[in-house]
Amino acid sequence: DESDTVELTMYVPQRDGAAEAMAVGLFSDWRDLCVNADFSMATILGTLLHLHYKVQHRQWSVYNALRKPECMVVNVQPLDFERRGGLMHIGENMWHNGDRLGSPEIREEVMPFAQQPATMVIEQQDEDTWWVLASAGNSQRPPPWMRRFVHGLKEAAVAFVQDPLTLVHRPFPDDATLLHAYTKEAKAAGFV
């Protein structure tokens, strides 16, 4: 979006006071957060540390529900792997919409309604597996934007592991190159 500022709406836990972890209940709420990533100097590691600091020190603002239709919503869902009473959490993908184990993945013919311009859910399935689920409104984030987003997300993940001092803002390949690469990938996976 050619901006060095990203505004996010996050779903965050609100029970980190003394003995609040032992309370039973959903103590989470929406908060708005603004993250800056300077075009000429921001690195992957620096931006992640900046975001971590802001979350850790609660440098967010109260959620403004009237702005929901225009905000990017981010929800991070880590799992608690400690057994309690013989039970343990499992990832939502293991039970959402009933048992889907062994069912083929099928793309729907009609695109679902998007509630805001962009939503990202970073979800932990098990101790070693995380999912990044992204959805976007087609009119505000058309396919060329989404291809750049996916490319940037992949590059950021690889850079975080291999070269965390890589600059955040790097030039993107042209859309025809990205479209060709993703079409080839979709055909190989049997989606096209």
Side-chain angles (χ1 to χ4, degrees):
D1 292 347
E2 302 300 320
S3 174
D4 60 357
T5 302
V6 178
E7 293 182 21
L8 308 169
T9 297
M10 300 178 71
Y11 197 55
V12 297
Q14 300 292 314
R15 58 173 183 176
D16 51 6
E20 289 180 0
M22 296 180 67
V24 176
L26 180 60
F27 300 104
S28 296
D29 202 1
W30 297 105
R31 293 292 183 257
D32 290 335
L33 179 69
C34 185
V35 180
N36 296 315
D38 182 85
F39 269 98
S40 60
M41 298 185 336
T43 64
I44 300 291
L45 179 61
T47 302
L48 287 173
L49 289 173
H50 180 62
L51 176 62
H52 178 263
Y53 181 88
K54 284 182 159 264
V55 170
Q56 182 181 31
H57 295 280
R58 297 175 169 248
Q59 293 182 348
W60 50 54
S61 59
V62 176
Y63 172 62
N64 182 351
L66 295 175
R67 292 193 57 224
K68 185 178 188 288
E70 59 198 49
C71 291
M72 178 187 296
V73 176
V74 178
N75 189 4
V76 181
Q77 298 178 347
L79 283 181
D80 178 6
F81 293 104
E82 190 172 323
R83 288 189 174 272
R84 290 179 173 81
L87 302 173
M88 189 175 100
H89 284 109
I90 60 171
E92 184 177 327
N93 65 308
M94 303 295 281
W95 57 266
H96 188 70
N97 291 334
D99 185 5
R100 296 186 298 170
L101 195 61
S103 300
E105 189 174 338
I106 300 171
R107 182 175 287 199
E108 300 293 327
E109 291 293 324
V110 178
M111 290 192 322
F113 176 75
Q115 298 177 359
Q116 51 271 332
T119 300
M120 186 181 315
V121 177
I122 303 168
E123 183 177 300
Q124 188 173 14
Q125 174 183 320
D126 53 49
E127 291 187 63
D128 300 321
T129 310
W130 287 79
W131 294 82
V132 177
L133 308 166
S135 62
N138 190 45
S139 60
Q140 293 171 314
R141 304 280 197 261
W145 184 94
M146 203 65 189
R147 284 189 284 272
R148 287 191 308 273
F149 172 80
V150 170
H151 176 79
L153 186 62
K154 282 181 178 180
E155 275 201 336
V158 170
F160 177 68
V161 172
Q162 296 178 352
D163 185 14
L165 298 180
T166 299
L167 291 178
V168 170
H169 298 285
R170 296 174 48 184
F172 288 108
D174 64 278
D175 189 56
T177 302
L178 290 174
L179 179 60
H180 176 72
Y182 291 132
T183 302
K184 185 176 176 183
E185 207 173 289
K187 282 181 181 175
F191 289 116
V192 178

